[in-house]
Amino acid sequence: MTQTLFDKVWQRHVVHQEPDCPAILFIDLHLIHEVTSPQAFTGLSTRGLKVRRPDRTVATMDHSTPTSKLAVVDAQAQKQLDTLVTNCKAHGVRLYELGNERQGIVHVIGPELGLTQPGMTIVCGDSHTATHGAFGSLAFGIGTSEVEHVLATQCLLQKKAKSLEVRFEGRAGKGVTAKDLILALCAKIGVGGATGHVIEYRGDAVRALSMEGRMTVCNMSIEAGARAGMVAPDDTTFAYLADKEFAPKGRAFDEAVTSWRALATDDGALFDRSVSVDVSALEPMITFGTNPGMGMPITAPVPDPEALVGSERAALEKALAYMALKPGKPLLGQKVDVVFIGSCTNSRLSDLRQAASVMADRKVAQGVRTLVVPGSAAVKKAAEAEGLDRIFRDAGAEWRDAGCSMCIGMNGDQVGPGQYAVSTSNRNFEGRQGPGSRTFLASPLTAAAAAVTGVVTDVRTLMGS
Amino acid sequence: MAGFKQVTSPAVLLTVNDIDTDQIIPARFLTTTTKVGLGQKLFNDWRVDPGFVLNQPAARNAKILVAGHNFGCGSSREHAPWALLDFGFRAVVATSFADIFTNNALKNGLLPVTLPPEPHARLVEQARSGEPITIDLERLMVILPRRDELLFVVDAFARRCLLDGVDELGYILSFHDRIAAYEARQ
Ligand code: SF4
């Protein structure tokens, strides 16, 4: 029988399934961070249980950690970080804490350390775990109760999701990046468009993406409501993994590649649904509203609620009121207060290079605060080795330490009330980047363009031919 | 975990679509290491508005929240159902829910009830009076003030867990031998 990539990874991990019950799914890699794990460890202790597979569990600190030399925001955040240290010590779990050279955003370090590998099941108490699906792993976010289940048993109870094929076809034009592909998908199918599904991204435009680009795409699968997003592993994947610390080496690597190749969806395998996006027709994308599905080509006018009816109209009216935007007018030229380049969506070396390519020999516009926050300590080091930090600093941007930072505003890095930010992160929800903050999601290129012009700008006008 | 059989209460109507977990419980309140007290921060940033439904006296003792579609989208924070429960809610009715929210809610005894648009609209219409509605998990039914009965579906296993108090972690642990055998094959 023909199978999809998802079918194959799923089937290999079913430990057992009783009739009318969810499957017991084995988890190869469990990533944890400070915010969603403390109550799970408490639950474990209450039952007198230990972590079953510390060797398959890896912890980092990222959400509430400072990204400058300043202290942790408050005593409660500090206590949460201390709790993670205590829990990891007590259970023998590897922890990359603040100051460690391997520390960083959980979805950045997993891949760059080679912990993330094709065919694995990977979970984390974090909805952007789908990022790891870029390697052909089945990776998804779970809640804290489920974190406890995995700590205790290395397994999860799961009902198999439906499958959704998303085809990105055609060649991306100037200024169009992986971020624009996924924002275009969210705009097309909406924030609930893939609920109950695991997406497999296919098509020549996906094949053409680097691993970092694929991670950007998979990262935002959840913003369309999907459980997970996957890309079949290929030579790009294997070349990326070849020199990574925890990837297999030598003969073991060659053997692994053979089995990884076999994961690709069989010809003729069926998906429950299919959607396709013509990449050659895309422009750089930007969001105008308060969820990631409210996006549009950067040259488009803000949509008019009058054109909609019922709850959709109410939703758009509410969003535009929050954003203080007028329908029918373009976003181009909209004044910007803050630019954030970072987050598990766009904080890897290639993202920083893109931003630097726009900011080189230019200055951050007056009155704009620009934060560049690398995704991991390793990304920071690599960026500094090639002088990207100098480009950002010379332009007048702040160059920070690794962490989630202004993506979620838990560490004190926040957008002020009523301020507009162009952000390379993944969520433009009300107050996401700080109470009253107004977020435009876009690519690192578009964010950098806003930084140097002080307004929402079509980056293509700043690029050479 | 709290079980769930039946709840009868007036409903709080918050029929907004795509309510994300950052609204339910903003991220800056997630530095807690326990589950208690989160109800105070439920919808914190929307409660700044004195006219917001949760600020009305009627909301204080309500056990049922009614939303639009795709309730609970966004982050995986289980703090969202913890905050709803801590405030006093036992069930949320919507036309659809985000996947992770559904999982998290069921694991904590907060019942997500999905209704198709038409019955949902009828519920909203009849609940406006403030008269109580009943959600019966045993019969998989919502009973409206005018005695209308609306059917809903809940995952069979999750329903059993809630009704019979089956503990999911205990269930997985009972297959310890099979897990060990799987690991041995790896
Ligand atoms: S960068 Fe943002 S989205 Fe990514 S893990 Fe951190 S807080 Fe979550």
Side-chain angles (χ1 to χ4, degrees), chain A residues 33 62-63 105-108 126-129 131 219 223 340 342-345 347 403-410 425-427 432, chain B residues 75 77:
Chain A
H33 63 68
D62 52 8
H63 281 66
I105 305 175
V106 64
H107 311 309
V108 175
D126 194 286
S127 60
H128 293 99
T129 308
T131 312
N219 173 274
E223 307 317 334
F340 173 60
S343 90
C344 58
T345 314
S347 63
C404 296
S405 179
M406 208 181 261
C407 170
I408 190 163
M410 281 185 73
S425 54
N426 43 51
R427 287 189 173 141
R432 168 75 178 190
Chain B
S75 97
R77 62 189 72 163

PDB file of all heavy atoms in Angstrom, chain A residues 33 62-63 105-108 126-129 131 219 223 340 342-345 347 403-410 425-427 432, chain B residues 75 77, ligand 1:
ATOM      1  N   HIS A  33      11.464  23.343  27.905  1.00  0.00           N
ATOM      2  CA  HIS A  33      11.960  24.665  28.303  1.00  0.00           C
ATOM      3  C   HIS A  33      11.290  25.087  29.613  1.00  0.00           C
ATOM      4  O   HIS A  33      10.424  24.389  30.129  1.00  0.00           O
ATOM      5  CB  HIS A  33      11.802  25.697  27.180  1.00  0.00           C
ATOM      6  CG  HIS A  33      10.401  25.986  26.761  1.00  0.00           C
ATOM      7  ND1 HIS A  33       9.495  26.619  27.566  1.00  0.00           N
ATOM      8  CD2 HIS A  33       9.734  25.709  25.602  1.00  0.00           C
ATOM      9  CE1 HIS A  33       8.342  26.746  26.924  1.00  0.00           C
ATOM     10  NE2 HIS A  33       8.455  26.193  25.733  1.00  0.00           N
ATOM     11  N   ASP A  62      14.855  29.654  27.170  1.00  0.00           N
ATOM     12  CA  ASP A  62      14.732  30.582  26.053  1.00  0.00           C
ATOM     13  C   ASP A  62      13.649  31.655  26.224  1.00  0.00           C
ATOM     14  O   ASP A  62      13.856  32.808  25.899  1.00  0.00           O
ATOM     15  CB  ASP A  62      14.510  29.816  24.741  1.00  0.00           C
ATOM     16  CG  ASP A  62      13.358  28.803  24.814  1.00  0.00           C
ATOM     17  OD1 ASP A  62      12.628  28.786  25.822  1.00  0.00           O
ATOM     18  OD2 ASP A  62      13.189  28.011  23.857  1.00  0.00           O
ATOM     19  N   HIS A  63      12.500  31.288  26.787  1.00  0.00           N
ATOM     20  CA  HIS A  63      11.357  32.205  26.754  1.00  0.00           C
ATOM     21  C   HIS A  63      11.522  33.457  27.618  1.00  0.00           C
ATOM     22  O   HIS A  63      11.226  34.554  27.188  1.00  0.00           O
ATOM     23  CB  HIS A  63      10.082  31.471  27.143  1.00  0.00           C
ATOM     24  CG  HIS A  63       9.518  30.657  26.029  1.00  0.00           C
ATOM     25  ND1 HIS A  63      10.159  29.567  25.511  1.00  0.00           N
ATOM     26  CD2 HIS A  63       8.371  30.798  25.321  1.00  0.00           C
ATOM     27  CE1 HIS A  63       9.423  29.062  24.523  1.00  0.00           C
ATOM     28  NE2 HIS A  63       8.337  29.790  24.390  1.00  0.00           N
ATOM     29  N   ILE A 105      16.959  29.273  21.413  1.00  0.00           N
ATOM     30  CA  ILE A 105      15.542  28.936  21.274  1.00  0.00           C
ATOM     31  C   ILE A 105      15.454  27.452  20.923  1.00  0.00           C
ATOM     32  O   ILE A 105      16.171  26.965  20.041  1.00  0.00           O
ATOM     33  CB  ILE A 105      14.864  29.773  20.172  1.00  0.00           C
ATOM     34  CG1 ILE A 105      15.055  31.273  20.428  1.00  0.00           C
ATOM     35  CG2 ILE A 105      13.376  29.437  20.084  1.00  0.00           C
ATOM     36  CD1 ILE A 105      14.515  32.164  19.316  1.00  0.00           C
ATOM     37  N   VAL A 106      14.575  26.774  21.611  1.00  0.00           N
ATOM     38  CA  VAL A 106      14.491  25.319  21.520  1.00  0.00           C
ATOM     39  C   VAL A 106      14.399  24.827  20.061  1.00  0.00           C
ATOM     40  O   VAL A 106      15.017  23.829  19.692  1.00  0.00           O
ATOM     41  CB  VAL A 106      13.320  24.826  22.419  1.00  0.00           C
ATOM     42  CG1 VAL A 106      11.974  25.341  21.942  1.00  0.00           C
ATOM     43  CG2 VAL A 106      13.315  23.338  22.566  1.00  0.00           C
ATOM     44  N   HIS A 107      13.678  25.566  19.225  1.00  0.00           N
ATOM     45  CA  HIS A 107      13.505  25.120  17.832  1.00  0.00           C
ATOM     46  C   HIS A 107      14.666  25.534  16.935  1.00  0.00           C
ATOM     47  O   HIS A 107      14.680  25.226  15.750  1.00  0.00           O
ATOM     48  CB  HIS A 107      12.184  25.643  17.271  1.00  0.00           C
ATOM     49  CG  HIS A 107      11.040  25.383  18.189  1.00  0.00           C
ATOM     50  ND1 HIS A 107      10.786  24.130  18.711  1.00  0.00           N
ATOM     51  CD2 HIS A 107      10.107  26.211  18.735  1.00  0.00           C
ATOM     52  CE1 HIS A 107       9.750  24.216  19.525  1.00  0.00           C
ATOM     53  NE2 HIS A 107       9.331  25.459  19.558  1.00  0.00           N
ATOM     54  N   VAL A 108      15.591  26.278  17.482  1.00  0.00           N
ATOM     55  CA  VAL A 108      16.798  26.610  16.730  1.00  0.00           C
ATOM     56  C   VAL A 108      17.903  25.620  17.098  1.00  0.00           C
ATOM     57  O   VAL A 108      18.606  25.110  16.228  1.00  0.00           O
ATOM     58  CB  VAL A 108      17.232  28.072  16.987  1.00  0.00           C
ATOM     59  CG1 VAL A 108      18.557  28.374  16.292  1.00  0.00           C
ATOM     60  CG2 VAL A 108      16.150  29.034  16.511  1.00  0.00           C
ATOM     61  N   ASP A 126       5.392  23.293  23.331  1.00  0.00           N
ATOM     62  CA  ASP A 126       5.508  24.543  22.571  1.00  0.00           C
ATOM     63  C   ASP A 126       4.934  24.324  21.182  1.00  0.00           C
ATOM     64  O   ASP A 126       5.311  23.387  20.490  1.00  0.00           O
ATOM     65  CB  ASP A 126       6.985  24.933  22.481  1.00  0.00           C
ATOM     66  CG  ASP A 126       7.135  26.365  22.020  1.00  0.00           C
ATOM     67  OD1 ASP A 126       6.916  26.631  20.826  1.00  0.00           O
ATOM     68  OD2 ASP A 126       7.442  27.214  22.857  1.00  0.00           O
ATOM     69  N   SER A 127       4.036  25.219  20.779  1.00  0.00           N
ATOM     70  CA  SER A 127       3.291  24.958  19.546  1.00  0.00           C
ATOM     71  C   SER A 127       4.144  25.071  18.279  1.00  0.00           C
ATOM     72  O   SER A 127       3.740  24.593  17.230  1.00  0.00           O
ATOM     73  CB  SER A 127       2.109  25.918  19.449  1.00  0.00           C
ATOM     74  OG  SER A 127       2.568  27.244  19.446  1.00  0.00           O
ATOM     75  N   HIS A 128       5.311  25.685  18.363  1.00  0.00           N
ATOM     76  CA  HIS A 128       6.130  25.821  17.159  1.00  0.00           C
ATOM     77  C   HIS A 128       7.086  24.651  16.946  1.00  0.00           C
ATOM     78  O   HIS A 128       8.013  24.725  16.141  1.00  0.00           O
ATOM     79  CB  HIS A 128       6.856  27.165  17.150  1.00  0.00           C
ATOM     80  CG  HIS A 128       5.886  28.287  16.998  1.00  0.00           C
ATOM     81  ND1 HIS A 128       5.436  29.028  18.057  1.00  0.00           N
ATOM     82  CD2 HIS A 128       5.212  28.732  15.905  1.00  0.00           C
ATOM     83  CE1 HIS A 128       4.535  29.900  17.631  1.00  0.00           C
ATOM     84  NE2 HIS A 128       4.373  29.741  16.334  1.00  0.00           N
ATOM     85  N   THR A 129       6.823  23.574  17.652  1.00  0.00           N
ATOM     86  CA  THR A 129       7.630  22.361  17.512  1.00  0.00           C
ATOM     87  C   THR A 129       7.590  21.831  16.082  1.00  0.00           C
ATOM     88  O   THR A 129       8.497  21.120  15.641  1.00  0.00           O
ATOM     89  CB  THR A 129       7.134  21.305  18.523  1.00  0.00           C
ATOM     90  OG1 THR A 129       7.096  21.917  19.807  1.00  0.00           O
ATOM     91  CG2 THR A 129       8.032  20.089  18.574  1.00  0.00           C
ATOM     92  N   THR A 131       8.436  23.151  13.609  1.00  0.00           N
ATOM     93  CA  THR A 131       9.680  23.566  12.943  1.00  0.00           C
ATOM     94  C   THR A 131      10.537  22.359  12.544  1.00  0.00           C
ATOM     95  O   THR A 131      11.100  22.306  11.445  1.00  0.00           O
ATOM     96  CB  THR A 131      10.524  24.434  13.912  1.00  0.00           C
ATOM     97  OG1 THR A 131       9.690  25.423  14.492  1.00  0.00           O
ATOM     98  CG2 THR A 131      11.706  25.072  13.205  1.00  0.00           C
ATOM     99  N   ASN A 219       7.688  25.930  10.703  1.00  0.00           N
ATOM    100  CA  ASN A 219       7.488  26.622  11.971  1.00  0.00           C
ATOM    101  C   ASN A 219       6.076  27.183  12.102  1.00  0.00           C
ATOM    102  O   ASN A 219       5.445  27.101  13.153  1.00  0.00           O
ATOM    103  CB  ASN A 219       8.520  27.749  12.074  1.00  0.00           C
ATOM    104  CG  ASN A 219       8.318  28.663  13.265  1.00  0.00           C
ATOM    105  OD1 ASN A 219       7.561  29.617  13.207  1.00  0.00           O
ATOM    106  ND2 ASN A 219       8.982  28.354  14.363  1.00  0.00           N
ATOM    107  N   GLU A 223       0.208  28.164  12.691  1.00  0.00           N
ATOM    108  CA  GLU A 223      -0.542  29.406  12.458  1.00  0.00           C
ATOM    109  C   GLU A 223      -1.668  29.191  11.446  1.00  0.00           C
ATOM    110  O   GLU A 223      -2.527  30.047  11.269  1.00  0.00           O
ATOM    111  CB  GLU A 223       0.375  30.542  12.012  1.00  0.00           C
ATOM    112  CG  GLU A 223       1.579  30.829  12.893  1.00  0.00           C
ATOM    113  CD  GLU A 223       1.335  30.820  14.385  1.00  0.00           C
ATOM    114  OE1 GLU A 223       0.199  31.077  14.821  1.00  0.00           O
ATOM    115  OE2 GLU A 223       2.291  30.521  15.118  1.00  0.00           O
ATOM    116  N   PHE A 340      11.649  44.098  14.911  1.00  0.00           N
ATOM    117  CA  PHE A 340      12.220  42.949  15.627  1.00  0.00           C
ATOM    118  C   PHE A 340      12.629  41.877  14.624  1.00  0.00           C
ATOM    119  O   PHE A 340      11.802  41.378  13.859  1.00  0.00           O
ATOM    120  CB  PHE A 340      11.185  42.376  16.608  1.00  0.00           C
ATOM    121  CG  PHE A 340      11.625  41.087  17.259  1.00  0.00           C
ATOM    122  CD1 PHE A 340      12.781  41.024  18.039  1.00  0.00           C
ATOM    123  CD2 PHE A 340      10.900  39.907  17.084  1.00  0.00           C
ATOM    124  CE1 PHE A 340      13.194  39.832  18.632  1.00  0.00           C
ATOM    125  CE2 PHE A 340      11.299  38.709  17.678  1.00  0.00           C
ATOM    126  CZ  PHE A 340      12.449  38.674  18.455  1.00  0.00           C
ATOM    127  N   GLY A 342      14.133  38.290  14.711  1.00  0.00           N
ATOM    128  CA  GLY A 342      14.452  37.191  15.610  1.00  0.00           C
ATOM    129  C   GLY A 342      13.321  36.180  15.630  1.00  0.00           C
ATOM    130  O   GLY A 342      12.499  36.148  14.710  1.00  0.00           O
ATOM    131  N   SER A 343      13.266  35.340  16.672  1.00  0.00           N
ATOM    132  CA  SER A 343      12.268  34.292  16.931  1.00  0.00           C
ATOM    133  C   SER A 343      12.599  32.988  16.225  1.00  0.00           C
ATOM    134  O   SER A 343      13.398  32.948  15.287  1.00  0.00           O
ATOM    135  CB  SER A 343      10.854  34.720  16.529  1.00  0.00           C
ATOM    136  OG  SER A 343      10.600  34.367  15.175  1.00  0.00           O
ATOM    137  N   CYS A 344      11.927  31.923  16.658  1.00  0.00           N
ATOM    138  CA  CYS A 344      12.190  30.596  16.091  1.00  0.00           C
ATOM    139  C   CYS A 344      11.792  30.516  14.622  1.00  0.00           C
ATOM    140  O   CYS A 344      12.113  29.552  13.940  1.00  0.00           O
ATOM    141  CB  CYS A 344      11.473  29.523  16.905  1.00  0.00           C
ATOM    142  SG  CYS A 344       9.696  29.756  17.007  1.00  0.00           S
ATOM    143  N   THR A 345      11.110  31.538  14.113  1.00  0.00           N
ATOM    144  CA  THR A 345      10.752  31.556  12.696  1.00  0.00           C
ATOM    145  C   THR A 345      11.913  32.073  11.843  1.00  0.00           C
ATOM    146  O   THR A 345      12.198  31.534  10.778  1.00  0.00           O
ATOM    147  CB  THR A 345       9.525  32.471  12.461  1.00  0.00           C
ATOM    148  OG1 THR A 345       8.556  32.183  13.450  1.00  0.00           O
ATOM    149  CG2 THR A 345       8.926  32.249  11.097  1.00  0.00           C
ATOM    150  N   SER A 347      15.437  33.512  12.946  1.00  0.00           N
ATOM    151  CA  SER A 347      16.592  34.017  13.711  1.00  0.00           C
ATOM    152  C   SER A 347      17.844  33.224  13.408  1.00  0.00           C
ATOM    153  O   SER A 347      18.796  33.225  14.181  1.00  0.00           O
ATOM    154  CB  SER A 347      16.304  33.918  15.198  1.00  0.00           C
ATOM    155  OG  SER A 347      16.141  32.549  15.537  1.00  0.00           O
ATOM    156  N   GLY A 403      17.556  34.233  22.409  1.00  0.00           N
ATOM    157  CA  GLY A 403      16.352  33.967  23.191  1.00  0.00           C
ATOM    158  C   GLY A 403      15.118  34.332  22.394  1.00  0.00           C
ATOM    159  O   GLY A 403      15.207  34.824  21.271  1.00  0.00           O
ATOM    160  N   CYS A 404      13.953  34.101  23.007  1.00  0.00           N
ATOM    161  CA  CYS A 404      12.684  34.395  22.328  1.00  0.00           C
ATOM    162  C   CYS A 404      12.428  35.902  22.282  1.00  0.00           C
ATOM    163  O   CYS A 404      11.825  36.412  21.336  1.00  0.00           O
ATOM    164  CB  CYS A 404      11.535  33.726  23.062  1.00  0.00           C
ATOM    165  SG  CYS A 404      11.632  31.932  23.045  1.00  0.00           S
ATOM    166  N   SER A 405      12.825  36.585  23.329  1.00  0.00           N
ATOM    167  CA  SER A 405      12.823  38.047  23.349  1.00  0.00           C
ATOM    168  C   SER A 405      11.462  38.634  22.981  1.00  0.00           C
ATOM    169  O   SER A 405      10.425  38.241  23.519  1.00  0.00           O
ATOM    170  CB  SER A 405      13.935  38.543  22.416  1.00  0.00           C
ATOM    171  OG  SER A 405      13.998  39.940  22.340  1.00  0.00           O
ATOM    172  N   MET A 406      11.455  39.559  22.034  1.00  0.00           N
ATOM    173  CA  MET A 406      10.266  40.339  21.709  1.00  0.00           C
ATOM    174  C   MET A 406       9.213  39.556  20.931  1.00  0.00           C
ATOM    175  O   MET A 406       8.132  40.070  20.651  1.00  0.00           O
ATOM    176  CB  MET A 406      10.694  41.558  20.910  1.00  0.00           C
ATOM    177  CG  MET A 406       9.786  42.743  21.064  1.00  0.00           C
ATOM    178  SD  MET A 406      10.385  44.102  20.067  1.00  0.00           S
ATOM    179  CE  MET A 406      11.246  45.077  21.267  1.00  0.00           C
ATOM    180  N   CYS A 407       9.489  38.306  20.603  1.00  0.00           N
ATOM    181  CA  CYS A 407       8.450  37.476  19.979  1.00  0.00           C
ATOM    182  C   CYS A 407       7.286  37.319  20.939  1.00  0.00           C
ATOM    183  O   CYS A 407       6.136  37.301  20.535  1.00  0.00           O
ATOM    184  CB  CYS A 407       9.014  36.105  19.609  1.00  0.00           C
ATOM    185  SG  CYS A 407       7.732  34.952  19.111  1.00  0.00           S
ATOM    186  N   ILE A 408       7.615  37.196  22.228  1.00  0.00           N
ATOM    187  CA  ILE A 408       6.579  36.900  23.223  1.00  0.00           C
ATOM    188  C   ILE A 408       6.606  37.895  24.375  1.00  0.00           C
ATOM    189  O   ILE A 408       5.673  37.966  25.182  1.00  0.00           O
ATOM    190  CB  ILE A 408       6.718  35.436  23.710  1.00  0.00           C
ATOM    191  CG1 ILE A 408       5.540  34.969  24.552  1.00  0.00           C
ATOM    192  CG2 ILE A 408       8.028  35.214  24.454  1.00  0.00           C
ATOM    193  CD1 ILE A 408       5.418  33.476  24.701  1.00  0.00           C
ATOM    194  N   GLY A 409       7.663  38.691  24.440  1.00  0.00           N
ATOM    195  CA  GLY A 409       7.712  39.775  25.424  1.00  0.00           C
ATOM    196  C   GLY A 409       7.735  39.331  26.874  1.00  0.00           C
ATOM    197  O   GLY A 409       7.352  40.086  27.762  1.00  0.00           O
ATOM    198  N   MET A 410       8.176  38.095  27.146  1.00  0.00           N
ATOM    199  CA  MET A 410       8.188  37.620  28.535  1.00  0.00           C
ATOM    200  C   MET A 410       9.414  38.088  29.309  1.00  0.00           C
ATOM    201  O   MET A 410       9.452  38.005  30.528  1.00  0.00           O
ATOM    202  CB  MET A 410       8.170  36.095  28.573  1.00  0.00           C
ATOM    203  CG  MET A 410       6.802  35.497  28.336  1.00  0.00           C
ATOM    204  SD  MET A 410       6.830  33.709  28.534  1.00  0.00           S
ATOM    205  CE  MET A 410       6.970  33.538  30.312  1.00  0.00           C
ATOM    206  N   SER A 425       8.686  37.524  13.659  1.00  0.00           N
ATOM    207  CA  SER A 425       8.181  36.407  14.455  1.00  0.00           C
ATOM    208  C   SER A 425       6.935  35.815  13.800  1.00  0.00           C
ATOM    209  O   SER A 425       6.674  36.054  12.624  1.00  0.00           O
ATOM    210  CB  SER A 425       7.913  36.890  15.879  1.00  0.00           C
ATOM    211  OG  SER A 425       7.058  38.018  15.857  1.00  0.00           O
ATOM    212  N   ASN A 426       6.150  35.079  14.542  1.00  0.00           N
ATOM    213  CA  ASN A 426       5.082  34.292  13.937  1.00  0.00           C
ATOM    214  C   ASN A 426       3.679  34.661  14.396  1.00  0.00           C
ATOM    215  O   ASN A 426       2.703  34.111  13.910  1.00  0.00           O
ATOM    216  CB  ASN A 426       5.346  32.816  14.230  1.00  0.00           C
ATOM    217  CG  ASN A 426       5.783  32.622  15.666  1.00  0.00           C
ATOM    218  OD1 ASN A 426       5.126  33.093  16.580  1.00  0.00           O
ATOM    219  ND2 ASN A 426       6.900  31.934  15.867  1.00  0.00           N
ATOM    220  N   ARG A 427       3.564  35.532  15.383  1.00  0.00           N
ATOM    221  CA  ARG A 427       2.217  35.842  15.894  1.00  0.00           C
ATOM    222  C   ARG A 427       2.010  37.337  16.045  1.00  0.00           C
ATOM    223  O   ARG A 427       2.833  38.027  16.643  1.00  0.00           O
ATOM    224  CB  ARG A 427       1.983  35.151  17.244  1.00  0.00           C
ATOM    225  CG  ARG A 427       1.784  33.682  17.023  1.00  0.00           C
ATOM    226  CD  ARG A 427       1.346  32.920  18.243  1.00  0.00           C
ATOM    227  NE  ARG A 427       1.053  31.566  17.809  1.00  0.00           N
ATOM    228  CZ  ARG A 427       1.343  30.466  18.490  1.00  0.00           C
ATOM    229  NH1 ARG A 427       1.890  30.554  19.682  1.00  0.00           N
ATOM    230  NH2 ARG A 427       1.051  29.292  17.994  1.00  0.00           N
ATOM    231  N   ARG A 432       0.549  40.436  21.870  1.00  0.00           N
ATOM    232  CA  ARG A 432       1.553  39.378  21.869  1.00  0.00           C
ATOM    233  C   ARG A 432       2.951  39.911  22.205  1.00  0.00           C
ATOM    234  O   ARG A 432       3.726  39.312  22.911  1.00  0.00           O
ATOM    235  CB  ARG A 432       1.569  38.701  20.486  1.00  0.00           C
ATOM    236  CG  ARG A 432       2.748  37.779  20.231  1.00  0.00           C
ATOM    237  CD  ARG A 432       2.603  36.465  20.964  1.00  0.00           C
ATOM    238  NE  ARG A 432       3.721  35.586  20.656  1.00  0.00           N
ATOM    239  CZ  ARG A 432       3.787  34.309  20.989  1.00  0.00           C
ATOM    240  NH1 ARG A 432       2.780  33.755  21.649  1.00  0.00           N
ATOM    241  NH2 ARG A 432       4.820  33.581  20.690  1.00  0.00           N
TER     242      ARG A 432
ATOM    243  N   SER B  75      -0.767  29.321  20.978  1.00  0.00           N
ATOM    244  CA  SER B  75       0.263  28.574  21.703  1.00  0.00           C
ATOM    245  C   SER B  75      -0.290  27.340  22.404  1.00  0.00           C
ATOM    246  O   SER B  75      -1.498  27.181  22.574  1.00  0.00           O
ATOM    247  CB  SER B  75       0.964  29.483  22.705  1.00  0.00           C
ATOM    248  OG  SER B  75       0.419  29.333  23.991  1.00  0.00           O
ATOM    249  N   ARG B  77       0.110  26.591  25.496  1.00  0.00           N
ATOM    250  CA  ARG B  77       0.081  26.795  26.944  1.00  0.00           C
ATOM    251  C   ARG B  77      -1.158  26.182  27.595  1.00  0.00           C
ATOM    252  O   ARG B  77      -2.291  26.550  27.293  1.00  0.00           O
ATOM    253  CB  ARG B  77       0.183  28.295  27.266  1.00  0.00           C
ATOM    254  CG  ARG B  77      -0.951  29.123  26.721  1.00  0.00           C
ATOM    255  CD  ARG B  77      -0.692  30.620  26.865  1.00  0.00           C
ATOM    256  NE  ARG B  77       0.353  31.057  25.922  1.00  0.00           N
ATOM    257  CZ  ARG B  77       0.559  32.317  25.578  1.00  0.00           C
ATOM    258  NH1 ARG B  77      -0.161  33.268  26.102  1.00  0.00           N
ATOM    259  NH2 ARG B  77       1.508  32.631  24.708  1.00  0.00           N
TER     260      ARG B  77
HETATM  261  S1  SF4 C   1      10.583  32.443  19.567  1.00  0.00           S
HETATM  262 FE1  SF4 C   1       8.464  32.953  20.015  1.00  0.00          FE
HETATM  263  S2  SF4 C   1       7.244  31.398  19.019  1.00  0.00           S
HETATM  264 FE2  SF4 C   1       9.340  30.673  19.061  1.00  0.00          FE
HETATM  265  S3  SF4 C   1       9.470  29.369  20.877  1.00  0.00           S
HETATM  266 FE3  SF4 C   1      10.070  31.455  21.480  1.00  0.00          FE
HETATM  267  S4  SF4 C   1       8.213  32.439  22.170  1.00  0.00           S
HETATM  268 FE4  SF4 C   1       7.596  30.621  21.057  1.00  0.00          FE
END
